[in-house]
């Protein structure tokens, strides 16, 4: 039996795909709201294809429980945030889950940590817990790599890294992950698995930072950054990412800090990239002020932010650039702005509306912070408005860019 602990954005799809492919699975989460929803057969977030996978997992007998079961393999997918002061990874959720596993687990079970951690974290923080329990438990690290918006495709097709201490555990886990993963399964040691995952997200953060820095350079000297990136990317060895209003989500905006926290003085490009990406909401604010001046607008109550999620077509608002922008405005003591996001039904800001029509009726200046399909499909409704498109997602409508 496989126990999947933490049924959030990663744990839930993992538990479901394992069950749907014939593995006996119990999903565990300490949040009663999540457990109640799943036991009512309701999903807790939106993701393409997840409803059908849920159905298949239920047909194969997936169980959701609050109590840790006896299992042969435990997969831990709980948050691993960073401490905002020290910049180091906070492993307390993982440690707490492992401690609870150790109370119930049978001899020789395997505990796989999927949550992203900095290199050496498992040796430093988790192995001592196992040692002091006196139990014979194998540890492994199989960092998740799936991208929200295309999670199920990537769960099945991405290559998978599994860090282990011995080849037998590696082969056991190759069998389990291979029950759904068609990509290459790469076995390595635990520290290399930890580091490679952090490095992957850091690589992307640095490349987005480069695009964002180019956006600032081009704006300062009246060049079109999108045209320049488009041309540069025609070079066979150049692939610049897209500038945007900032980097959000719980991965790319978090994981590079682990390197900064653990290797101060060495992780220099990493730190610079984080600073550039974190400065983008403020840059958007400056652009907004410029555009308002140019158009003789002074009333912030007629300005609205379209999009609250961290990127297009997902409902996840964690670390979102829009929330960073609102925070930045609060620091400047500016009044809050009207916000709208078709993917977000919960109230998360002071001034939020829940229909595109009400939003557009209330504002003259629309700042598109997220390129959801909804706004692209309804772009004609923006005619007559002043629009700052921070994502370059709108075509055929006159807009301002970053
Ligand atoms: N963004 C840009 N410009 C770009 C691409 C992205 O500004 O050209 C922004 C997005 O709008 C968003 C942020 O960056 O705010 C991050 O989005 P993302 O789509 O790049 O990545 P995530 O956070 O959704 O998922 C990443 C993925 N990592 C890599 O691509 C290396 C995913 O594979 C990981 O599984 C995930 O982090 C994770 O959980 O670690």
């Amino acid at each position: 039996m496989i126990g999947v602990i933490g049924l959030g954005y990663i744990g839930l799809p993992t538990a479901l795909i394992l069950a749907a492919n014939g593995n006996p699975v119990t999903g565990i989460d300490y949040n009663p709201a999540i457990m109640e929803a799943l036991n009512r057969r309701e999903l807790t977030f939106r993701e393409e294809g997840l409803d059908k996978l849920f159905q298949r997992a239920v047909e194969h007998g997936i169980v959701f429980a609050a109590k840790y079961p006896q299992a042969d393999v435990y997969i831990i997918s709980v948050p691993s945030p960073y401490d905002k002061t020290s910049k180091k990874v906070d492993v307390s959720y993982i440690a707490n889950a492992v401690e609870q596993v150790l109370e119930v687990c049978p001899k020789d079970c395997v505990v796989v940590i999927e949550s992203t951690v900095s290199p050496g974290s498992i040796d430093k923080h988790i192995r001592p817990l196992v040692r002091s329990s006196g139990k014979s438990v194998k540890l492994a690290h199989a960092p998740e790599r799936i991208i929200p918006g295309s999670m199920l495709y990537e769960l099945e097709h991405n290559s998978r890294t599994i860090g282990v201490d011995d080849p037998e555990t590696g082969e056991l886990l190759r069998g389990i992950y291979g029950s759904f993963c068609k990509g290459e399964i790469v076995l390595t040691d635990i520290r290399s698995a930890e580091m490679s995952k952090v490095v992957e997200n850091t690589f992307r953060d640095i490349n987005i930072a480069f695009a964002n820095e180019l956006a600032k350079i081009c704006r300062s000297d009246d060049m079109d950054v999108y045209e320049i990136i488009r041309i540069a990317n025609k070079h066979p060895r150049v692939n610049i990412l897209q500038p945007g209003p900032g980097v959000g989500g719980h991965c790319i905006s978090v994981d590079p800090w682990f390197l900064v926290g653990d290797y101060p003085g060495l992780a220099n490009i990493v730190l610079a990239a984080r600073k550039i990406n974190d400065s983008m909401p403020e840059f958007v604010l400056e652009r907004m002020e410029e555009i308002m001046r140019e158009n003789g607008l002074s009333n912030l109550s007629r300005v609205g932010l379209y999009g609250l999620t961290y990127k297009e077509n997902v409902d996840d608002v964690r670390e979102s650039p829009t929330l960073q922008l609102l925070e930045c405005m609060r620091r400047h003591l500016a009044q809050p702005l009207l916000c709208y996001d078709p993917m977000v039904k919960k109230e998360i800001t002071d001034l939020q509306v829940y229909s595109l029509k009400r939003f557009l009726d209330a504002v003259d200046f629309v700042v598109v912070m997220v390129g959801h399909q909804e706004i692209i499909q309804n772009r004609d409704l923006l005619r007559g408005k002043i629009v700052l498109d921070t994502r370059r997602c709108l075509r055929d409508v006159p807009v301002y860019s970053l």
Side-chain angles (χ1 to χ4, degrees):
M1 210 257 280
I2 304 171
V4 180
I5 298 153
L7 299 175
Y9 285 97
I10 301 301
L12 182 61
T14 305
L16 297 181
I17 205 164
L18 280 164
N21 284 282
N23 299 285
V25 174
T26 298
I28 303 124
D29 201 294
Y30 65 23
N31 181 338
I34 292 183
M35 298 313 285
E36 279 160 28
L38 294 175
N39 278 318
R40 279 196 309 268
R41 305 300 181 230
E42 282 167 21
L43 284 171
T44 40
F45 62 93
R46 287 201 261 174
E47 176 69 31
E48 169 102 36
L50 199 59
D51 44 356
K52 287 206 183 79
L53 186 65
F54 194 9
Q55 187 86 39
R56 279 175 52 211
V58 168
E59 283 160 16
H60 278 83
I62 189 168
V63 173
F64 298 108
K67 214 169 144 236
Y68 282 56
Q70 288 245 326
D72 310 299
V73 174
Y74 296 87
I75 295 180
I76 297 183
S77 260
V78 295
S80 52
Y82 76 98
D83 181 297
K84 294 221 157 110
T85 318
S86 71
K87 314 294 187 203
K88 286 177 188 286
V89 62
D90 170 2
V91 294
S92 58
Y93 295 90
I94 304 172
N96 183 35
V98 170
E99 276 169 340
Q100 295 195 58
V101 164
L102 290 169
E103 280 175 23
V104 296
C105 68
K107 190 167 167 287
D108 295 334
C109 72
V110 180
V111 176
V112 186
I113 289 155
E114 282 211 9
S115 319
T116 305
V117 289
S118 60
S121 296
I122 292 178
D123 280 346
K124 197 162 156 199
H125 303 287
I126 307 303
R127 218 180 276 286
L129 298 176
V130 174
R131 230 177 261 131
S132 66
S133 77
K135 284 200 164 173
S136 158
V137 167
K138 309 268 187 200
L139 284 174
H141 183 44
E144 60 81 15
R145 275 170 154 177
I146 53 178
I147 197 146
S150 188
M151 280 182 164
L152 301 190
Y153 178 85
E154 293 208 346
L155 255 182
E156 213 174 315
H157 295 95
N158 281 5
S159 144
R160 189 93 209 191
T161 316
I162 304 182
V164 283
D165 293 328
D166 58 80
E168 297 74 41
T169 310
E171 289 313 319
L172 173 85
L173 293 177
R174 189 199 289 283
I176 290 175
Y177 281 93
S179 68
F180 65 84
C181 173
K182 298 192 180 108
E184 184 188 2
I185 294 180
V186 179
L187 298 182
T188 183
D189 61 281
I190 290 181
R191 248 159 79 93
S192 300
E194 291 171 321
M195 183 62 166
S196 58
K197 164 66 201 231
V198 174
V199 162
E200 289 160 14
N201 279 355
T202 303
F203 173 85
R204 192 155 168 87
D205 196 43
I206 290 171
N207 281 283
I208 298 169
F210 180 56
N212 282 334
E213 187 159 273
L214 288 180
K216 289 183 174 184
I217 292 171
C218 290
R219 171 59 45 207
S220 77
D221 211 12
D222 202 21
M223 289 179 269
D224 179 349
V225 67
Y226 299 97
E227 176 70 352
I228 286 150
I229 292 176
R230 188 179 73 80
I231 297 166
N233 281 352
K234 291 192 184 290
H235 186 289
R237 284 174 297 284
V238 174
N239 185 16
I240 304 169
L241 296 178
Q242 291 299 300
V247 167
H250 208 56
C251 314
I252 303 223
S253 68
V254 173
D255 302 350
W257 284 120
F258 299 164
L259 293 179
V260 174
D262 282 357
Y263 304 99
L266 292 176
N268 298 321
I269 296 180
V270 181
L271 175 59
R274 276 285 70 241
K275 285 186 178 165
I276 292 165
N277 288 338
D278 276 354
S279 74
M280 291 313 286
E282 181 120 30
F283 182 67
V284 173
L285 197 52
E286 285 162 21
R287 268 309 273 146
M288 284 165 59
E289 284 162 359
E290 270 167 27
I291 294 164
M292 286 177 75
R293 270 197 304 276
E294 200 179 310
N295 288 276
L297 258 183
S298 55
N299 189 355
L300 274 177
S301 67
R302 298 291 298 172
V303 180
L305 300 177
Y306 177 94
L308 281 160
T309 62
Y310 82 93
K311 67 175 188 179
E312 66 285 355
N313 308 322
V314 300
D315 62 5
D316 187 345
V317 297
R318 290 177 299 174
E319 322 288 333
S320 96
T322 307
L323 296 180
Q324 293 178 41
L325 174 59
L326 290 171
E327 180 51 37
C328 178
M329 293 189 76
R330 251 192 298 276
R331 281 200 305 273
H332 287 89
L333 303 176
Q335 71 184 77
L337 294 180
L338 192 72
C339 295
Y340 162 71
D341 191 310
M343 304 292 290
V344 180
K345 303 293 172 216
K346 267 196 288 197
E347 184 184 336
I348 55 166
T349 69
D350 297 341
L351 274 175
Q352 198 172 330
V353 289
Y354 300 90
S355 104
L356 180 60
K357 185 173 181 322
R358 277 197 60 200
F359 174 71
L360 293 178
D361 284 350
V363 296
D364 301 318
F365 179 12
V366 179
V367 182
V368 177
M369 297 290 287
V370 186
H372 289 309
Q373 270 308 314
E374 188 217 34
I375 195 67
I376 296 171
Q377 281 157 4
N378 288 290
R379 60 190 178 278
D380 281 340
L381 299 178
L382 292 169
R383 286 187 196 284
K385 307 274 179 207
I386 302 162
V387 180
L388 167 57
D389 178 4
T390 67
R391 298 282 186 171
R392 186 59 152 221
C393 61
L394 302 169
R395 307 273 166 214
D396 324 317
V397 191
V399 293
Y400 289 92
S401 300
L402 280 179

